Amino acid sequence: MKKLSYLTCMLLCSVMPSVAQPQILVMPTGGKPMPNRWIDATTHHLIVKLSRREGSNSSFYFHNYPFIQTPDGKGWEMIYYGSTSQGNQLFAVNLQTFQNRQITYLPFRFGGEIVAPKSKTAYVQSRDSVFKIHLGNGKAELVYVFPKDFHGHIASVNCNETLLAGVWSDEREAEILRRYPSKSSFFNRIFEAHIPHVLFTIDLQTKQLHKIDSEDTWLNHEQFSPTDPDLLLYAHEGPWDQVDRTWVINVKTGEKKLLHQRSIPHEINGHEWWAPDGKSVWFDLQIPRSVNFYIAGVPIKNENGHIETGKEIRYPITRDEWSIHFNLSPDQTMFCGDGGDSTQVAHARDGMWIYLFRKQGDTLSAEKLVDMRFQNYRALEPNVHFSPDGKWVIFRANFEGKNEVYAVSIQRYL
């Protein structure tokens, strides 16, 4: 290990006064306990540990927005899960001071990664009950109880925070999950069973449940548009080369549209997400599977209740640059990716990195941000997010031997 020069330390302090201090170590990432901040010896990017608490800690899934503004409106907090003696609870970390605080102290198990940033609340579910969590004080408010014959699962809140969306499936899916808990065991079984699924919304004002679409196939990955309260993105789940996967539906009119049509055998797309301005949807595209790799997007308009799509955009990437999940920066000039190991679909030889991709015309310029050689991808996928200011990539990792949450600066310091 080596220490930064005095000049470099002063540069860090001037750029990031809340983070940088003299004596920041330049060291390999992972394989041992890490300090709260260090410079990755391979990539020369600053990494900060966000989850500075005991226990196992996990940031949200890549397409679930986790940020709220601080009370003074000048900074941001990120919501995440941390383990406690009472099970997983919601925590917040201040992205300027890195102070962590526990939000919930609920005595029952719950789940849900649904943050409503305008009201600074979150929605979670425990069995048949949906609760609104006030993120400032942790107060839990019961807002909905599912009927006994319709036990759905919430997944998203719309941008004006009036509707929740989710999926219901009949009891056969729960039975498959109970009998075959590992993904490798339940994935094809649920797909092949052609179990009825229903997309629904819950009106948070009237408490009315509305069934908006139903199919005898596996539906999931529900995501409301970040700017249009009526548009819901969702996926047909299953083996990606056997499904027309990525769809958007207008929850008021019921109109729905497939966003990518497969053109050759074994073509796949998936892990879709909205652009920050709600004007496009992006996804991992492979034509065919495991051969040619793209980050692809489809422009979307929803005018007068009618959905229109534009010409698909494709950015080619290399096999080693493929990532399990991608994301798009707030200003939409950069993508990030969480990499992957050699056992996954790209079969990359050198793919275990957190990546940054800068747009350069019709291509992307890739940069490695974090060396992930000690990451167990099968146990924990990093699920990258950009910070609200676009200066950091936030991810979860187990390269220290337990699950923690980190941020890496997109600026290179050495």
Side-chain angles (χ1 to χ4, degrees):
M1 302 178 190
K2 63 179 180 179
K3 297 180 180 179
L4 298 183
S5 69
Y6 176 80
L7 181 62
T8 303
C9 288
M10 291 303 100
L11 173 63
L12 286 171
C13 289
S14 65
V15 175
M16 301 172 55
S18 63
V19 176
Q21 296 176 351
Q23 311 300 316
I24 297 178
L25 295 176
V26 180
M27 58 194 302
T29 294
K32 57 185 178 301
M34 303 299 294
N36 284 338
R37 53 177 70 86
W38 72 96
I39 300 289
D40 187 298
T42 303
T43 70
H44 298 166
H45 284 265
L46 175 68
I47 302 170
V48 176
K49 187 185 300 184
L50 298 180
S51 51
R52 300 178 184 182
R53 58 173 301 275
E54 298 297 323
S56 177
N57 302 291
S58 180
S59 52
F60 285 5
Y61 193 57
F62 82 105
H63 65 52
N64 292 332
Y65 188 80
F67 305 108
I68 60 171
Q69 284 195 299
T70 54
D72 62 9
K74 297 180 180 179
W76 295 89
E77 286 187 310
M78 187 190 74
I79 313 304
Y80 69 95
Y81 273 103
S83 65
T84 73
S85 60
Q86 292 183 305
N88 281 344
Q89 300 289 341
L90 289 177
F91 288 78
V93 55
N94 185 301
L95 296 181
Q96 288 68 48
T97 67
F98 308 124
Q99 291 182 334
N100 286 250
R101 64 182 178 91
Q102 186 169 344
I103 297 172
T104 58
Y105 295 82
L106 298 180
F108 48 80
R109 295 181 64 181
F110 64 95
E113 298 182 359
I114 307 173
V115 168
K118 292 180 181 178
S119 61
K120 297 182 181 179
T121 58
Y123 292 90
V124 301
Q125 184 171 346
S126 180
R127 298 182 182 272
D128 63 352
S129 300
V130 177
F131 296 87
K132 180 166 69 173
I133 307 296
H134 298 268
L135 296 172
N137 58 20
K139 178 183 176 183
E141 176 186 346
L142 179 66
V143 295
Y144 188 78
V145 178
F146 282 97
K148 291 183 178 179
D149 62 346
F150 193 89
H151 187 183
H153 297 277
I154 60 170
S156 187
V157 64
N158 68 349
C159 62
N160 61 13
E161 302 181 5
T162 60
L163 296 175
L164 293 174
V167 166
W168 170 91
S169 60
D170 77 20
E171 59 187 16
R172 284 180 290 167
E173 182 172 324
E175 178 61 17
I176 291 173
L177 291 170
R178 187 188 67 79
R179 293 180 60 188
Y180 306 98
S182 67
K183 184 176 180 179
S184 61
S185 297
F186 72 68
F187 195 78
N188 283 357
R189 283 182 169 89
I190 294 176
F191 171 71
E192 293 167 357
H194 295 287
I195 296 169
H197 283 68
V198 176
L199 282 171
F200 66 85
T201 60
I202 298 171
D203 189 308
L204 290 168
Q205 296 173 334
T206 67
K207 313 302 182 186
Q208 295 297 307
L209 184 147
H210 300 277
K211 301 175 183 178
I212 59 174
D213 195 38
S214 61
E215 298 187 50
D216 291 339
T217 191
W218 190 2
L219 305 178
N220 69 3
H221 275 239
E222 313 93 277
Q223 308 165 54
F224 268 115
S225 162
T227 56
D228 188 324
D230 299 332
L231 282 186
L232 181 68
L233 176 67
Y234 69 99
H236 284 191
E237 189 60 276
W240 288 9
D241 60 349
Q242 299 180 47
V243 294
D244 292 323
R245 180 178 166 99
T246 305
W247 296 76
V248 66
I249 187 170
N250 184 307
V251 300
K252 283 187 177 179
T253 67
E255 180 187 15
K256 57 184 178 180
K257 180 161 287 191
L258 177 66
L259 298 186
H260 175 80
Q261 180 67 60
R262 289 171 295 135
S263 58
I264 65 171
H266 307 298
E267 179 177 336
I268 66 173
N269 76 286
H271 283 167
E272 49 283 309
W273 81 97
W274 285 101
D277 62 2
K279 294 181 179 180
S280 57
V281 168
W282 295 83
F283 44 84
D284 168 18
L285 174 63
Q286 299 174 34
I287 309 175
R289 172 189 171 110
S290 306
V291 177
N292 298 308
F293 304 88
Y294 306 87
I295 301 175
V298 175
I300 293 177
K301 290 183 180 180
N302 179 39
E303 296 180 350
N304 301 317
H306 178 62
I307 302 169
E308 294 183 359
T309 57
K311 182 179 179 181
E312 187 171 288
I313 306 161
R314 296 178 182 177
Y315 292 105
I317 55 174
T318 69
R319 180 180 303 276
D320 285 345
E321 293 165 358
W322 173 86
S323 295
I324 303 171
H325 311 97
F326 299 97
N327 227 318
L328 186 58
S329 63
D331 66 2
Q332 302 191 61
T333 64
M334 300 176 288
F335 295 95
C336 59
D338 57 7
D341 64 30
S342 61
T343 69
Q344 289 155 343
V345 64
H347 306 297
R349 294 183 177 181
D350 183 25
M352 297 177 68
W353 304 90
I354 300 296
Y355 284 103
L356 182 73
F357 303 92
R358 290 184 171 90
K359 293 182 181 180
Q360 294 186 342
D362 296 332
T363 64
L364 299 176
S365 174
E367 182 178 2
K368 296 171 180 176
L369 299 182
V370 183
D371 184 349
M372 299 290 282
R373 74 180 70 182
F374 291 104
Q375 175 74 8
N376 182 340
Y377 276 87
R378 289 294 175 180
L380 185 72
E381 296 172 349
N383 281 278
V384 280
H385 296 259
F386 278 99
S387 61
D389 62 7
K391 295 180 179 180
W392 299 81
V393 173
I394 296 170
F395 62 99
R396 58 197 189 192
N398 55 24
F399 50 55
E400 291 190 58
K402 68 187 189 80
N403 296 352
E404 298 286 6
V405 185
Y406 306 88
V408 57
S409 173
I410 67 172
Q411 181 177 350
R412 192 172 184 266
Y413 288 104
L414 297 176

